[in-house]
């Protein structure tokens, strides 16, 4: 689910799920897509006091929203983040806080309206 822009919505297949920044009001652009508005600026401010990092941290809020909507276990997301930032505990904690903010927002405010999910696999198939 890449981040959408109004001009690219024409490229999306009918029934696609669209997570977007709420102020863009993209949900009025097409009626055949599933829209999930998220107030990224409101969610990132309490998580990331440093303004210059907020643009990067917003992406992790998006990860949290997508994880919740796709049914990804937060423990799996945290495991991946801790591995990615193994030597940078502060960065891991900041990113994890942003993911949790997105996940919690989606849990409390978004109703699943699409058929998409990710299923955990114990082993990769060859």
């Amino acid at each position: 689910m890449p981040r959408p822009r109004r001009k690219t919505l024409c490229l999306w297949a009918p029934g696609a799920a669209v997570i977007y920044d709420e102020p863009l009001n993209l949900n009025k652009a097409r009626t055949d897509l599933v829209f999930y508005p998220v107030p990224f600026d409101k969610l990132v401010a309490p998580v990331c006091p440093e303004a210059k990092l907020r643009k990067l941290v917003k992406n992790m809020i998006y990860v949290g929203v997508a994880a919740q909507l796709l049914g990804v276990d937060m423990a799996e997301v945290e495991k991946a983040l801790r591995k990615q930032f193994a030597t940078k505990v502060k960065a891991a904690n900041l990113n994890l806080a942003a993911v949790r903010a997105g996940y919690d927002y989606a849990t409390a405010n978004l109703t699943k309206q699409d058929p998409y999910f990710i299923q955990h696999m114990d082993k990769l198939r060859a």
Side-chain angles (χ1 to χ4, degrees):
M1 286 191 262
R3 285 182 132 182
R5 301 256 186 250
R6 186 172 294 279
K7 65 183 178 182
T8 63
L9 285 178
C10 64
L11 304 173
W12 293 56
V18 182
I19 298 170
Y20 71 96
D21 198 9
E22 190 175 55
L24 296 176
N25 290 318
L26 295 181
N27 59 327
K28 295 177 172 89
R30 284 182 57 181
T31 59
D32 61 341
L33 300 175
V34 178
F35 289 97
Y36 296 105
V38 178
F40 288 99
D41 287 335
K42 289 179 186 175
L43 295 174
V44 76
V47 172
C48 183
E50 198 170 332
K52 66 182 180 179
L53 292 177
R54 288 184 185 157
K55 187 173 182 178
L56 296 171
V57 175
K58 276 187 203 179
N59 289 326
M60 298 312 291
I61 289 173
Y62 177 84
V63 168
V65 171
Q68 196 280 338
L69 290 171
L70 293 169
V72 177
D73 187 341
M74 264 303 291
E76 293 296 325
V77 177
E78 181 172 0
K79 182 176 160 185
L81 267 176
R82 296 279 180 210
K83 182 178 178 182
Q84 182 66 33
F85 293 102
T87 61
K88 300 177 181 179
V89 175
K90 187 175 177 181
N93 291 340
L94 175 61
N95 282 281
L96 186 57
V99 170
R100 283 193 178 123
Y103 196 96
D104 292 347
Y105 176 84
T107 299
N109 298 285
L110 301 177
T111 302
K112 178 83 168 156
Q113 300 173 37
D114 65 76
Y116 309 112
F117 68 94
I118 294 177
Q119 186 174 3
H120 184 269
M121 294 177 62
D122 291 327
K123 295 180 182 180
L124 295 176
R125 297 180 199 174

